[in-house]
Amino acid sequence: MTPTPRTAKRRAGGGRLRALRRNRLALVGGVIAAVFILVALLAPLIAPYDPSRPDFGNVLAAPGWSHWLGTDELGRDQLSRVVYGARASMQVGLVAVVLAFVIGVPLGLAGGYHGKFTDGAISRLTDTMPAFPFLVLAVGLAAILGPSLTNATIAIGISQIPAVIRITRAETLRLKHVDYVRAAIANGGGDGTVLFRHILPNATSALIVQATVGIPAAIIGEALLSFLGLGVQPPDPSLGVMLSGAQSFLAPAPWLAVFPGLATVAATLAFNLLGDGLRDVLDPRGGTR
């Protein structure tokens, strides 16, 4: 008995899920990434202290029972600041990627599907912006927009648009020649129907992988911008702000740099491991269409 397309897709989805479960590194990355997202969402409930409130009676206190990760030069609880710093990182990572997708996906679809002048104009844009490295472009945009978490998010999101356009355009160029898309066009399907009912849903796998690559890049970008004073502004907590403030206290209080540094590494590594696993599982060349 020949399986229906819906049954074939269900079987393919089950096989991909089993393959993902067998990838232990991807599972570990997914669990850690989920923990960071939960910490970001529940930060007010998790943080034991106000992250911006100084306590001059506990200045540079070492990690202990009252302050698990110690305190900084103003007596502020490091655990609370790491929790809220992770929240800022997740906010930038997720919102910047969404911004890049909202702008980049339609442009990539238009360029790959229509071709000619439209594709040429969009290709020139995507060829020009990568002439500047991602972090350099983000720093430049943040400097122009002004220092704040919102402007840092916008700068990082704009910097990721060319990568999203390239991925979407490549998938569109590949998919517009497959049989079911040609059949949809032959049956009178309009551009919107073809693009959003046939091409975009089948390009989702590649876009999901790109999202898991873009999030850790955005986290690193936010930490760098905040470190340079172009992102989150003190006394608001951020992993980059904490690392910047720890420079003067590396010898007497190394925990000021160790814990926010470990949090940054863990978050970026988690999403990278998850992205590598999803790339193996969702490889379009290996999936059933």
Side-chain angles (χ1 to χ4, degrees), residues 18-270:
R18 287 191 294 271
L20 185 61
R21 288 175 178 173
R22 289 194 295 267
N23 190 327
R24 295 183 178 180
L25 288 178
L27 283 179
V28 171
V31 170
I32 297 175
V35 169
F36 269 94
I37 293 174
L38 284 176
V39 167
L41 293 174
L42 303 176
L45 301 177
I46 296 174
Y49 299 93
D50 183 339
S52 300
R53 182 177 180 180
D55 180 3
F56 297 108
N58 282 308
V59 172
L60 297 180
W65 287 111
S66 58
H67 297 280
W68 289 4
L69 303 186
T71 64
D72 64 7
E73 71 278 10
L74 298 179
R76 295 173 296 191
D77 181 66
Q78 284 292 94
L79 175 58
S80 300
R81 291 181 66 77
V82 167
V83 167
Y84 274 86
R87 187 184 203 184
S89 296
M90 290 298 103
Q91 176 182 332
V92 171
L94 296 175
V95 175
V97 168
V98 169
L99 174 62
F101 272 57
V102 167
I103 299 175
V105 169
L107 290 176
L109 288 171
Y113 187 73
H114 293 293
K116 296 183 180 178
F117 175 78
T118 302
D119 189 29
I122 295 174
S123 295
R124 297 294 79 77
L125 172 66
T126 57
D127 290 342
T128 301
M129 292 182 68
F132 303 93
F134 164 73
L135 290 177
V136 173
L137 182 59
V139 169
L141 289 172
I144 293 172
L145 295 173
S148 72
L149 181 61
T150 300
N151 290 342
T153 303
I154 295 173
I156 294 170
I158 293 174
S159 303
Q160 292 197 356
I161 290 175
V164 176
I165 293 176
R166 287 197 299 270
I167 293 293
T168 308
R169 175 180 175 274
E171 286 295 290
T172 304
L173 288 172
R174 180 179 67 84
L175 290 169
K176 75 176 183 179
H177 296 297
V178 300
D179 292 340
Y180 58 81
V181 172
R182 291 181 174 179
I185 296 173
N187 289 332
D191 291 350
T193 300
V194 173
L195 286 171
F196 295 104
R197 290 190 60 184
H198 299 285
I199 291 181
L200 183 58
N202 287 280
T204 302
S205 297
L207 293 176
I208 290 174
V209 173
Q210 176 58 35
T212 59
V213 172
I215 290 174
I219 292 172
I220 292 293
E222 184 277 327
L224 174 63
L225 292 178
S226 296
F227 184 88
L228 296 176
L230 297 173
V232 177
Q233 297 299 297
D236 293 335
S238 161
L239 299 178
V241 169
M242 295 173 70
L243 289 171
S244 178
Q247 294 181 89
S248 303
F249 304 95
L250 292 177
W255 57 85
L256 297 184
V258 169
F259 294 120
L262 288 176
T264 303
V265 171
T268 54
L269 182 60

Side-chain angles (χ1 to χ4, degrees), residues 245-289:
Q247 294 181 89
S248 303
F249 304 95
L250 292 177
W255 57 85
L256 297 184
V258 169
F259 294 120
L262 288 176
T264 303
V265 171
T268 54
L269 182 60
F271 281 101
N272 277 320
L273 290 176
L274 179 60
D276 288 341
L278 289 175
R279 185 183 296 110
D280 294 338
V281 173
L282 299 177
D283 183 1
R285 293 170 295 182
T288 301
R289 293 279 169 184

